[in-house]
Amino acid sequence: QPPTPERPGKSILELRMPAAYRPSAPKATTDDYRCFLLDPKASGDMSVTSARIEPGARKVVHHVILFRVARSQVGEAKRLDAGARGQGWSCFGGTGLSLGASGDTIQDSLDDANWVAAWAPGWGGNRLPDGTGVPLPAGSQIVMQVHYNLLNGRTPDRSRAVLTVAPASAELEPLRTMLLPSPVELACTRGERGRLCSRTEALFELSRKYGPEAGFAPAGLLLLCRGNASTPQASAVSTCDRRIARPTTIHVAAGHMHLLGASIRLELNPGTSRSRILLDIPRWDFHWQNAYQLARPVEAKAGDVVRVTCRHDVHKRMHGEHGSPQAPRYVLWGEGTTDEMCLGILQVTRG
């Protein structure tokens, strides 16, 4: 619905799925990623200054991400919506839309992920740092991506988001979301046997479940973080360094892993006298995935390095923790709840 007044200079914008959606997934899969196109009906440029996302069926909702869709991409989004059966469209790994402006690269899409807000267990609403806002230009729309975990059933869901928005006259500094992924390579433990203990078979399984692009993601992350995808090495610990391209102020830090996550850490300029810990969660809990505003913003210079480090514990699978299946398998980066991720998330402003 259109923005309604909140207080002078700000308004409340409520976005809700048009109708309840019952999750479904292809045979032998347990995850449904569904995208819904939502129109904020904004007549002018706005900035989002706070967000509260309310999943309609918390038992089955793994996460919700709101993506900004540029005016130039709205037509593509409408075609995807119209071409899919039922409400919304399937969208593993993102919105399913092209990268955006001509010349954009994967690196560009990671440095500015076009996130407006997100929800995961333990994290669902926050007010952005004073003086900042996520840009929402006139004519743009929002894709609400919902990841449903069918291990917990197929309860109908009608999630919604409540956003506080400010007009362009507020002259807020644009806040961007920077994603810091790292490869995940977890082999079967000694003594475990099974077809999916083969990395090659596990890659084929990813492609079968989520499409060809899912099968390429592990190699892409190895190239991004290691510079070589031909010699993957299984390890419970994964790291990836990202070099800052331009002066950046870091305001918010968060991390994301799945059921086998044990710890996650984000560090600026590791191993130097200018090292700063941005986020350190030594005991990861899948059911508590908060985003943390730094007590004081941290300034990063061009050339500085941000490192994400994740530790996973395959014994959590063997013990069936959080309902994870116990079948032996080589675990890779993947979209499913029973696949894994190592993802650092920063909200930043840039000079």
Side-chain angles (χ1 to χ4, degrees):
Q1 64 184 42
T4 55
E6 185 213 34
R7 61 176 185 266
K10 291 191 176 181
S11 301
I12 295 294
L13 176 63
E14 181 176 347
L15 300 170
R16 183 188 290 271
M17 291 162 49
Y21 171 76
R22 182 181 291 276
S24 64
K27 185 178 180 180
T29 61
T30 58
D31 295 275
D32 181 8
Y33 277 73
R34 201 72 178 177
C35 280
F36 307 93
L37 184 63
L38 307 177
D39 187 357
K41 297 182 172 62
S43 57
D45 293 347
M46 302 185 298
S47 292
V48 176
T49 60
S50 73
R52 186 177 78 251
I53 296 176
E54 300 174 352
R58 288 176 180 263
K59 186 177 181 181
V60 299
V61 175
H62 177 286
H63 76 240
V64 180
I65 302 175
L66 304 183
F67 292 92
R68 180 180 61 245
V69 178
R71 183 200 295 264
S72 61
Q73 291 183 296
V74 170
E76 182 184 358
K78 288 182 176 180
R79 288 191 292 274
L80 283 174
D81 197 3
R85 179 180 297 180
Q87 186 182 177
W89 66 92
S90 181
C91 56
F92 287 104
T95 62
L97 301 173
S98 56
L99 285 176
S102 176
D104 278 1
T105 64
I106 295 295
Q107 186 75 46
D108 295 330
S109 68
L110 293 175
D111 285 344
D112 185 357
N114 282 340
W115 285 23
V116 175
W119 178 91
W123 171 27
N126 63 308
R127 186 170 295 278
L128 302 183
D130 290 343
T132 71
V134 176
L136 195 60
S140 59
Q141 295 193 21
I142 288 176
V143 164
M144 174 185 281
Q145 183 206 57
V146 187
H147 174 188
Y148 297 102
N149 173 16
L150 275 64
L151 288 172
N152 292 327
R154 299 170 185 259
T155 306
D157 169 66
R158 193 181 181 193
S159 295
R160 73 165 190 155
V162 180
L163 311 178
T164 302
V165 295
S169 58
E171 297 183 343
L172 299 177
E173 194 168 5
L175 193 71
R176 316 286 183 184
T177 297
M178 183 176 180
L179 301 181
L180 304 158
S182 183
V184 176
E185 300 275 339
L186 301 173
C188 289
T189 60
R190 181 175 297 180
E192 287 188 312
R193 298 288 184 272
R195 178 180 65 86
L196 293 181
C197 283
S198 160
R199 185 179 188 275
T200 300
E201 291 295 334
L203 278 172
F204 286 147
E205 184 73 1
L206 279 178
S207 298
R208 183 190 69 78
K209 291 192 298 185
Y210 311 125
E213 290 186 0
F216 292 125
L221 288 174
L222 288 170
L223 284 171
L224 177 71
C225 299
R226 308 282 185 268
N228 187 342
S230 63
T231 55
Q233 294 184 343
S235 174
V237 179
S238 175
T239 66
C240 187
D241 290 354
R242 175 79 62 79
R243 194 167 297 278
I244 301 292
R246 54 190 285 194
T248 296
T249 303
I250 302 169
H251 297 273
V252 177
H256 178 69
M257 296 185 289
H258 291 178
L259 302 176
L260 305 184
S263 67
I264 186 168
R265 181 183 177 105
L266 290 171
E267 186 175 4
L268 181 67
N269 295 318
T272 73
S273 60
R274 297 182 295 118
S275 173
R276 296 285 301 273
I277 302 299
L278 304 174
L279 178 75
D280 188 12
I281 303 176
R283 296 182 63 186
W284 170 259
D285 186 339
F286 176 76
H287 296 292
W288 183 256
Q289 302 182 46
N290 208 346
Y292 301 92
Q293 185 170 333
L294 306 184
R296 293 183 180 178
V298 172
E299 302 293 336
K301 301 176 182 178
D304 283 355
V305 170
V306 180
R307 175 177 295 169
V308 57
T309 302
C310 295
R311 183 172 60 86
H312 292 88
D313 182 359
V314 295
H315 291 89
K316 289 187 174 184
R317 182 199 70 228
M318 296 168 67
H319 298 152
E321 291 191 21
H322 298 305
S324 57
Q326 296 174 272
R329 55 181 295 218
Y330 192 112
V331 179
L332 294 155
W333 173 285
E335 303 297 331
T337 307
T338 57
D339 302 308
E340 262 306 330
M341 287 190 180
C342 171
L343 179 64
I345 304 166
L346 298 177
Q347 288 187 301
V348 306
T349 53
R350 297 197 171 101

